[in-house]
Amino acid sequence: MPDALIRVYLPATLPMLAALRDGGLTVAAAHAVTANLREWYAEGDEEELEYVAFTRAAQSALRLLREDPDAPRRRVVVSADLAASAVQRTDGELGSSLVTLTGPVPLQAVAAVHVDSTDAEEDVAAAAERVEEALAGDDDAQFTVDNAEDHELEWYDVSELDTLL
């Protein structure tokens, strides 16, 4: 019997999409609806839980942008459906959506790619600079990150990957 599929949300940058196209995307951590997330947000339905995991992946993309000053200032989240055996829950903290993956995510597993529009770049650039401070509890930094989160990521089919690159 084949593994059940789990939807995972991988934070990325535009340059990382080239690796996805050319053989697979490897990330240190991804986000998914985990048992810990379900327990923390018990009143949430599946769609709300997935939105939380997706939003956390977008915030993780800000951290990747901070690490790569040459990447365009646009958050990227790759939605993929992976076999349960390829997804490992790593964080036992209540509410956590963090998972690690056992290997690269192949292009065939990608359901969609989500990318900020170019008009979000200024807010995303500011948020990337302040995301660590926001995570540490700085209210002003959180306001800056929230401004970036006000921008909805645009949806792209995997067949549009070359257009994005």
Side-chain angles (χ1 to χ4, degrees):
M1 186 160 128
D3 266 346
L5 293 179
I6 296 177
R7 172 65 52 98
V8 295
Y9 302 98
L10 297 88
T13 62
L14 284 171
M16 291 171 70
L17 291 179
L20 173 64
R21 181 194 61 198
D22 297 339
L25 181 60
T26 301
V27 296
H31 294 269
V33 176
T34 64
N36 289 329
L37 180 58
R38 285 183 196 285
E39 185 178 344
W40 172 75
Y41 193 30
E43 69 277 0
D45 64 21
E46 194 66 22
E47 187 174 320
E48 290 171 314
L49 292 168
E50 288 186 12
Y51 185 74
V52 169
F54 177 88
T55 301
R56 290 178 178 172
Q59 189 172 65
S60 293
L62 288 173
R63 297 173 96 177
L64 293 173
L65 289 171
R66 184 180 172 118
E67 295 168 11
D68 184 357
D70 296 329
R73 306 284 93 178
R74 295 166 70 190
R75 297 169 297 165
V76 176
V77 175
V78 176
S79 299
D81 296 317
L82 300 176
S85 60
V87 181
Q88 298 177 340
R89 280 124 176 96
T90 57
D91 189 346
E93 185 177 320
L94 185 63
S96 176
S97 60
L98 274 176
V99 295
T100 56
L101 308 178
T102 59
V105 174
L107 186 59
Q108 299 83 351
V110 174
V113 178
H114 312 270
V115 181
D116 273 311
S117 64
T118 55
D119 54 333
E121 287 181 346
E122 186 176 324
D123 287 337
V124 170
E129 290 300 315
R130 310 259 347 246
V131 65
E132 295 299 332
E133 297 167 53
L135 291 169
D138 182 307
D139 289 337
D140 289 334
Q142 186 61 51
F143 180 77
T144 302
V145 170
D146 290 345
N147 283 339
E149 290 177 357
D150 285 343
H151 296 275
E152 292 290 325
L153 278 73
E154 297 176 342
W155 181 94
Y156 293 90
D157 185 77
V158 70
S159 65
E160 298 175 282
L161 195 54
D162 284 334
T163 303
L164 285 169
L165 293 171

